Amino acid sequence: MKRQLKRSKKVKGIITVPGDKSIAQRAALFSILSSGPITVTNFPDGADCQNSLNAAEQLGVKIEQVEGRLKLRPPENNTLPRQATVDCGNSGTTARLLSGIAAGSNIELTLIGDESLSLRPMKRVIEPLTEMGAEFFCENGSLPLKIRGKKLLPFEYKLPVASAQVKSALLLAGLASHCSVVIREDSFTRDHTERMLAEIGEGIETRKIKAVPVEHPDDPRKKKMVMPEPFKYEAKLSAQAAVKGGEINIPGDISTASFFMTAAAITQGTVTIKNVGLNPTRTAFIDHLKIIGCEVKISDKETISGEPRGTVTVTGLKLKPRKISGDTTVGLIDEIPLVAILASFTEGTTVIRDAAELKVKESNRLEAIHHNLNLTGAKCGLLDDGLAIQGGRELSGADFVGFGDHRIVMAFSITALSLAGPSTIDDDSPAAVSCPGFYDILESIIR
Ligand code: S3P
């Protein structure tokens, strides 16, 4: 539905956001391979998470609501159906993680998805999983995709693209087929799979590689820092690794919370979000807000189910531009639309590089941001692998296009808060992919 977007003076309020999508999807998909039940608190109602649950159910998981929590009972005798077709909807995480599970299981699984998901690259999981021994049938490296699972071979792999979905698919393949898997990364993608396995299972070890001082070749009095390994992170799954089951309590989704933090930043208001996930692989946006000049306070920190969480309060102050590339871009992967929007309200030029992955998200997000920001009168240039944004002038209201992408729809609904005229979004329904209550939460902080 087309929606008139609201403007606001300084936003203000204390809110919570739905449970973390990445953690919830893993909980749902882990239950397919678990030996015991998994009980989940704060499972979110977004469409992507429901798609992961439906997939688990189709593969034999029994789902019950028990006192407001979800109880996921693994398939009887841990046996999957011989054949199944699963509709992953809009959800890349469901499609990619399920590919890993199917590759290492005794199943012939067909994956289908909506128009957007059917355009997204699957070769990144097909290639390594084929090397492990599974068989894949598809036309252009995307959905629809048929997977014939096999007994897989032990595997060591350095990720060619920074992707937690690929890392997780390969770890789940190893879990399903009881074979060892070693994944190495040049950056730090989100590590919810590793944490969840350590929490409700066994057989995973991870290490971060730190640079060490060595003698400088030109001057023995000096030291230089070198990496002792040609990678920065390693996750090792043993052949005995297993999901046993247990309790998972999901913190609020920091990527959803980031929309409301941005609302505070661009209206110079204050928003407090309680019970937000603070896993260090996901907090780059909080660091970004601090670096560009916002006040950020974190309290009530605790770790539950292996995932840190806390209360985050953001107050908007005068913003500064920043250049973003490399590992920083990886850490901000789902928040780049918000980084771009903040830049358009900032005097000076913000440059975002190493963000080519955004071209293959739920939409081509670089083009979507470029299109919408230019409608407001902000100066936004499209680069090969990113964006350059010159902000700081008064921006006008616009008829935004959501490109069917939940994060674009929500990001530009937030932008409208501070524009100098009325704005609309062509279709607000994609917000339900990750946050069905998005406009109600927003309404509660508008002043
Ligand atoms: C996700 C990983 C990221 C992220 C996506 C969810 C996950 O994708 O953009 O929204 O749950 O593993 P990539 O790992 O493909 O970058």
Side-chain angles (χ1 to χ4, degrees), residues 22 26 93 96 124 162-165 190 333-334 361 407:
S22 289
R26 282 158 176 78
T93 304
R96 296 195 177 117
R124 55 184 62 198
S163 169
Q165 294 179 350
R190 61 192 69 190
I333 196 72
D334 287 341
K361 292 292 180 189
R407 295 201 199 280

Side-chain angles (χ1 to χ4, degrees), residues 138-157:
C138 74
E139 285 205 348
N140 339 303
S142 52
L143 265 47
L145 173 66
K146 188 159 97 180
I147 306 152
R148 192 172 292 146
K150 296 276 166 168
K151 174 78 192 119
L152 303 176
L153 300 168
F155 195 54
E156 287 193 24
Y157 192 61

Side-chain angles (χ1 to χ4, degrees), residues 69-80:
R69 298 185 301 168
L70 275 190
K71 189 157 189 177
L72 309 174
R73 289 182 199 280
E76 227 165 282
N77 305 319
N78 280 104
T79 307
L80 306 192

Side-chain angles (χ1 to χ4, degrees), residues 102-256:
S105 303
N106 188 19
I107 191 170
E108 201 170 276
L109 179 67
T110 302
L111 298 179
I112 57 171
D114 72 5
E115 211 181 309
S116 149
L117 185 57
S118 305
L119 290 170
R120 295 182 65 187
M122 292 296 288
K123 270 202 184 129
R124 55 184 62 198
V125 288
I126 296 175
E127 281 173 2
L129 290 169
T130 304
E131 257 187 77
M132 289 176 81
E135 281 186 273
F136 285 80
F137 308 88
C138 74
E139 285 205 348
N140 339 303
S142 52
L143 265 47
L145 173 66
K146 188 159 97 180
I147 306 152
R148 192 172 292 146
K150 296 276 166 168
K151 174 78 192 119
L152 303 176
L153 300 168
F155 195 54
E156 287 193 24
Y157 192 61
K158 180 156 177 211
L159 291 187
V161 268
S163 169
Q165 294 179 350
V166 176
K167 171 175 66 175
S168 302
L170 302 179
L171 293 174
L172 286 165
L175 268 172
S177 199
H178 309 291
C179 70
S180 64
V181 173
V182 182
I183 308 288
R184 302 192 173 108
E185 292 187 299
D186 270 336
S187 45
F188 305 106
T189 62
R190 61 192 69 190
D191 63 356
H192 305 299
T193 301
E194 297 91 307
R195 284 174 187 253
M196 192 172 289
L197 186 53
E199 195 62 21
I200 59 162
E202 60 191 18
I204 184 90
E205 270 175 38
T206 61
R207 66 186 177 117
K208 273 186 170 181
I209 315 299
K210 290 210 176 93
V212 289
V214 294
E215 210 166 79
H216 202 284
D218 308 326
D219 183 351
R221 290 164 305 175
K222 285 191 190 156
K223 296 271 183 214
K224 77 171 195 173
M225 301 301 282
V226 294
M227 288 296 285
E229 307 277 6
F231 51 86
K232 289 189 183 161
Y233 174 83
E234 183 178 71
K236 267 188 173 176
L237 181 94
S238 78
Q240 292 72 39
V243 185
K244 304 274 182 182
E247 306 259 332
I248 294 173
N249 185 317
I250 304 179
D253 194 319
I254 188 167
S255 297
T256 307

